[in-house]
């Protein structure tokens, strides 16, 4: 039975993780980090604290769905030596410095970083790699749509899919990514990878990767119909991560894809 600590407990994902753990007898909720108060009913044995040290020391697996700055503080504390046995990070929009901190932390404990915790996206990522290679002359365009509250764009998942496509074509994503087109921009170049974002309503998450050729195209789409998929993926991956040596893991490692 693994004891989980939830970082970002008051947010949309944090609340779902708490609900998911309450329904799954093989795991317990050890601790939650709160910045202000929290209007949640928690098991009586749960440590509710605003002290990152106490929070980290009381959990076996910490699951983080917060903000890039929140993740940065969490990683810095873990690197300084106050750490759980395993850490799952689901926060998106990390900058290069924060991504390097992930690598530093992974030298001290097993860390899994995934911008999307679903099996479907893990498989889509694999399909995108194959299709980007096999359809070498096709134009790649990625479209994502999320709820109105999402703070980063393009989504971490869309960027990860674009990175996979770029890697399959031996390209540098930063040089080929186009996010937004407006005005007299001229024709599309064959090397670019379009990554576009739409926002609205309560839509959980939709990603479509299109491969557009002359006379035919393929579109592969994934739709998340509820967020529990992500919470369940994070908890299951966290239980698995406890048994792994130190290192940085992806969700593909957990799903063995
Ligand atoms: P949210 O805004 O509802 O919740 C964020 C929570 O983090 C809040 O409780 C907030 O108080 C807390 N927080 C913010 N900054 C913090 C800090 N500096 N220190 C400590 N706590 C802090 O957001 P959400 O919809 O729950 O999403 C959270 C993150 O997870 C986002 O980056 C989102 O893109 C990502 N996400 C990832 C997946 C996935 O599968 N990997 C799925 C959904 C959302």
């Amino acid at each position: 039975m693994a004891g989980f600590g939830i970082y970002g407990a008051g947010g949309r994902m944090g609340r779902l993780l708490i609900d998911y753990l309450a329904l799954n007898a093989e795991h317990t909720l050890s601790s939650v980090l709160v910045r202000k108060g929290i209007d949640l009913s928690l098991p009586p044995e749960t440590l509710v604290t605003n002290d990152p040290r106490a929070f980290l020391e009381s959990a076996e697996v910490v699951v983080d769905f917060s903000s890039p700055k929140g993740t940065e503080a969490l990683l810095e504390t873990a690197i300084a030596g106050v750490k759980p046995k395993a850490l799952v990070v689901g926060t998106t929009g990390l900058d290069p410095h924060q991504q390097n901190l992930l690598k530093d932390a992974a030298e001290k404990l097993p860390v899994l970083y995934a911008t999307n915790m679903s099996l479907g996206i893990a498989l889509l990522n694999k399909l995108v790699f194959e299709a980007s290679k096999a359809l070498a002359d096709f134009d790649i365009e990625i479209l994502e749509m999320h709820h109105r509250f999402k703070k980063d764009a393009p989504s971490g998942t869309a960027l990860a899919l674009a990175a996979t496509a770029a890697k399959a074509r031996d390209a540098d994503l930063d040089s080929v990514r186009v996010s937004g087109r407006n005005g007299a921009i001229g024709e599309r170049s064959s090397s670019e990878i379009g990554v576009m974002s739409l926002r609205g309503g309560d839509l959980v998450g939709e990603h479509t990767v299109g491969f557009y050729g002359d006379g035919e195209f393929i579109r592969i789409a994934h739709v998340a119909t509820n967020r529990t998929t992500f919470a369940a993926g994070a908890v299951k991956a966290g239980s698995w991560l406890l048994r792994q040596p130190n290192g940085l893991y992806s969700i593909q490692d957990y799903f063995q894809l």
Side-chain angles (χ1 to χ4, degrees), residues 50-123:
N50 60 5
D51 175 3
R53 294 180 72 95
F55 166 74
L56 285 168
E57 282 168 347
S58 64
E60 283 182 285
V61 187
V62 164
V63 179
D64 160 42
F65 285 88
S66 59
S67 67
K69 278 288 172 207
T71 304
E72 183 174 327
L74 177 68
L75 291 169
E76 283 170 348
T77 312
I79 291 164
V82 185
K83 55 190 174 60
K85 289 186 186 145
L87 173 62
V88 176
V89 177
T91 302
T92 62
L94 301 188
D95 67 22
H97 169 63
Q98 292 153 350
Q99 293 186 24
N100 281 332
L101 288 178
L102 279 173
K103 293 179 194 152
D104 294 345
E107 290 177 12
K108 311 219 167 196
L109 76 165
V111 178
L112 185 143
Y113 178 55
T115 52
N116 195 299
M117 300 283 175
S118 78
L119 173 61
I121 286 288
L123 180 66

Side-chain angles (χ1 to χ4, degrees), residues 52-203:
R53 294 180 72 95
F55 166 74
L56 285 168
E57 282 168 347
S58 64
E60 283 182 285
V61 187
V62 164
V63 179
D64 160 42
F65 285 88
S66 59
S67 67
K69 278 288 172 207
T71 304
E72 183 174 327
L74 177 68
L75 291 169
E76 283 170 348
T77 312
I79 291 164
V82 185
K83 55 190 174 60
K85 289 186 186 145
L87 173 62
V88 176
V89 177
T91 302
T92 62
L94 301 188
D95 67 22
H97 169 63
Q98 292 153 350
Q99 293 186 24
N100 281 332
L101 288 178
L102 279 173
K103 293 179 194 152
D104 294 345
E107 290 177 12
K108 311 219 167 196
L109 76 165
V111 178
L112 185 143
Y113 178 55
T115 52
N116 195 299
M117 300 283 175
S118 78
L119 173 61
I121 286 288
L123 180 66
L124 177 58
N125 205 49
K126 193 173 176 183
L127 297 175
V128 164
F129 188 82
E130 295 302 325
S132 303
K133 270 194 176 305
L135 308 172
D137 298 334
F138 285 44
D139 299 328
I140 303 176
E141 294 282 316
I142 299 173
L143 180 65
E144 57 102 344
M145 180 156 190
H146 283 83
H147 51 91
R148 65 169 74 91
F149 306 104
K150 185 159 178 61
K151 298 185 181 77
D152 53 325
S155 70
T157 302
L159 289 173
L161 291 165
T164 296
K167 189 174 170 198
R169 292 188 173 179
D170 294 320
D172 169 40
L173 181 60
D174 289 341
S175 316
V176 296
R177 173 161 72 95
V178 175
S179 289
R181 295 185 178 100
N182 188 26
I185 57 168
E187 292 182 6
R188 185 192 195 284
S189 71
S190 59
S191 62
E192 68 194 57
I193 295 177
V195 187
M196 307 297 166
S197 304
L198 300 178
R199 294 287 175 266
D202 61 356
L203 200 141

